Every structure is written in structure tokens, then in C-alpha cells.
Amino acid sequence: MLLHACCGPCSMEPVRVLRERGAEPHIYYANSNIAPADEYTQRLATLRAWADDEHLAVTEGTYDPAAWHAATAGATSREERCRACYRLRFEEAVIWACEHGYDAVGTTLSVSPYQYTDVIREELERACAQAGLRAAFEDWRPYYDEATRRSREAGMYRQNYCGCAPSAAEAARERAERKAARERERERWQAEHAEELAAREAELDARRAERAAYDQKRARQRAILKALRDKDARA
């Protein structure tokens, strides 16, 4: 079967499971959505390095950002944009599969819980049906945590956005919103526990003052002892 792959980390568990079932997937990297080009290259290099270790075949599709922009230009929502994106990439994968004798096409996109899983299935089945191929769709989301763990342990590059420029902006905005929410929660907690925190800080100040006084006392004692030793030495 041909396995459309978005990146190395998301390929780990699907490949492992498929091999355990007796299938040997061929990875097809068709991701014209990824921007900028350096990000595309880094994801592909990470995928290839892992695939080499796994003795896994990888084919790179055509990288055509202009085609992706044209395909998604009319989208009025995030879901519509993602659907158009899936459609473009799956159609490319299906064409390559037909040209090279494959009878089934799957995808690693469904590993991520941040994707539209139902839409992925619909678009994969649609593309395969047009070409008379079997859509080897599987909901890989139950393997997401394990894929995350394994890829981190392996030191693989892990991206923090889907791939396209709009998703990068959305991810950055969502991270900022989560950070702001955490800050608001921290401020709320501090306000609710202001008296407790003030009392704790006063107690710490008292301990610090006590410690400083003790240190000063010890310093004076050491100075006196040193003066006595010096006097004895001169005598």
C-alpha cells in the first residue's frame, strides 16, 4: 500500500502497526501545503532519516505551493481550507499510486487529534474511488501519545503547527491565548490568596532577618577569635 505521510513523527506508529499486520507501506510525501520551504525541507529530512533507519521506502511528491494556494483560495473557514488541502494531496498520492501499481492508499494525517478526522476519511475515500483504489483509512488518533513519546525519545524534529502559513498563524494565536489564560488564572489565584501570600512573605522576611542577624553575630565571633589568635601568635 501507499501511505501518504505528513511528517516523520506521525509516520512512526502507523508504520509499526501496519508492519505488525504484515503490510509493508511505501511512504509518499506529498505536502505542498507546508510553508516556508525550509520547514518543508526539514520535515522531509526528518522523515527520510527515520525511514532510512527503518529500511522504509520514501518518495517525495511535487512541492507546488502555488497549486496549494489555488486549491484553498476559496475556503471561507478553517475546515473548508483543510478539506481542500486534503483533497489536493490525496489526489496527487492516488495518481502516483495508480502509475506505480499500488491498489490501496492510506494516510498518517489521522494521527493528529488536531485534524478533521472525518473529513480526512471522506476525502481519502473520494480520491481513491475516482481511481478505483482501496482507501486504507484508519483513525490513528489512539496512537498519538505513543507517537509523541517515541519521536521525542528519538530526538526527532517535531513541528508545532500543521504546515501551512494560516495554520502557523492560528497556532501562534492559540498559544498566545493559552498563555494569556494561564496568566489570568495566576492573577486570580494570587488575588484570592493575597492575605495568605502576604503572611508567608512576612514570615520569610522575618526568617531572612533572623538569619542575617545570626550571620552577623557569627562573623563578629570569628573576628574576635582571629584577633585573639593573632595576639597569641605575636606573644
Side-chain angles (χ1 to χ4, degrees):
M1 65 174 289
L2 191 70
L3 182 64
H4 168 267
C6 54
C7 63
C10 286
S11 302
M12 299 180 83
E13 283 297 287
V15 168
R16 179 187 65 79
V17 173
L18 289 170
R19 281 179 161 177
E20 287 179 354
R21 295 173 181 171
E24 182 61 22
H26 183 116
I27 295 291
Y28 190 68
Y29 185 77
N31 300 295
S32 292
N33 59 307
I34 299 176
D38 287 348
E39 176 74 17
Y40 172 91
T41 301
Q42 186 170 10
R43 296 190 191 195
L44 177 57
T46 300
L47 173 64
R48 286 194 184 280
W50 167 76
D52 286 345
D53 290 340
E54 295 291 324
H55 306 291
L56 186 68
V58 175
T59 294
E60 179 186 6
T62 302
Y63 182 52
D64 188 355
W68 182 85
H69 284 291
T72 60
T76 58
S77 68
R78 179 176 178 177
E79 182 174 340
E80 284 188 12
R81 185 184 74 232
C82 289
R83 181 182 289 277
C85 177
Y86 301 152
R87 180 171 296 184
L88 175 71
R89 294 148 80 189
F90 292 160
E91 287 180 349
E92 180 184 342
V94 163
I95 290 172
W96 196 92
C98 289
E99 292 175 347
H100 293 82
Y102 290 88
D103 59 8
V105 177
T107 182
T108 67
L109 285 175
S110 58
V111 170
S112 172
Y114 304 104
Q115 298 281 354
Y116 294 101
T117 309
D118 290 341
V119 178
I120 291 171
R121 179 170 194 159
E122 291 170 6
E123 289 303 323
L124 181 64
E125 290 177 346
R126 174 187 173 278
C128 287
Q130 289 180 334
L133 301 182
R134 179 172 62 87
F137 172 83
E138 185 153 351
D139 184 351
W140 297 112
R141 286 177 296 179
Y143 298 93
Y144 176 76
D145 289 343
E146 181 63 11
T148 299
R149 183 191 67 79
R150 288 182 60 202
S151 58
R152 284 178 175 166
E153 285 186 354
M156 296 174 73
Y157 167 67
R158 291 182 51 80
Q159 55 278 358
N160 60 5
Y161 67 102
C162 173
C164 66
S167 74
E170 290 164 356
R173 183 172 61 252
E174 289 168 0
R175 287 193 295 272
E177 290 172 352
R178 289 194 296 270
K179 181 179 179 181
R182 289 194 298 270
E183 180 62 22
R184 289 193 298 272
E185 177 60 20
R186 185 183 67 83
E187 292 175 351
R188 182 196 64 77
W189 187 90
Q190 288 180 333
E192 289 182 355
H193 298 80
E195 292 184 4
E196 177 185 342
L197 292 172
R200 187 182 304 171
E201 186 62 28
E203 181 180 352
L204 290 174
D205 287 342
R207 290 180 180 177
R208 284 191 287 264
E210 182 179 345
R211 179 66 189 187
Y214 174 80
D215 290 343
Q216 290 175 358
K217 179 180 178 180
R218 293 291 295 167
R220 288 194 299 269
Q221 290 173 340
R222 286 193 294 270
I224 292 170
L225 290 172
K226 183 177 184 303
L228 291 173
R229 285 195 295 269
D230 292 344
K231 181 179 178 181
D232 290 341
R234 290 193 298 269

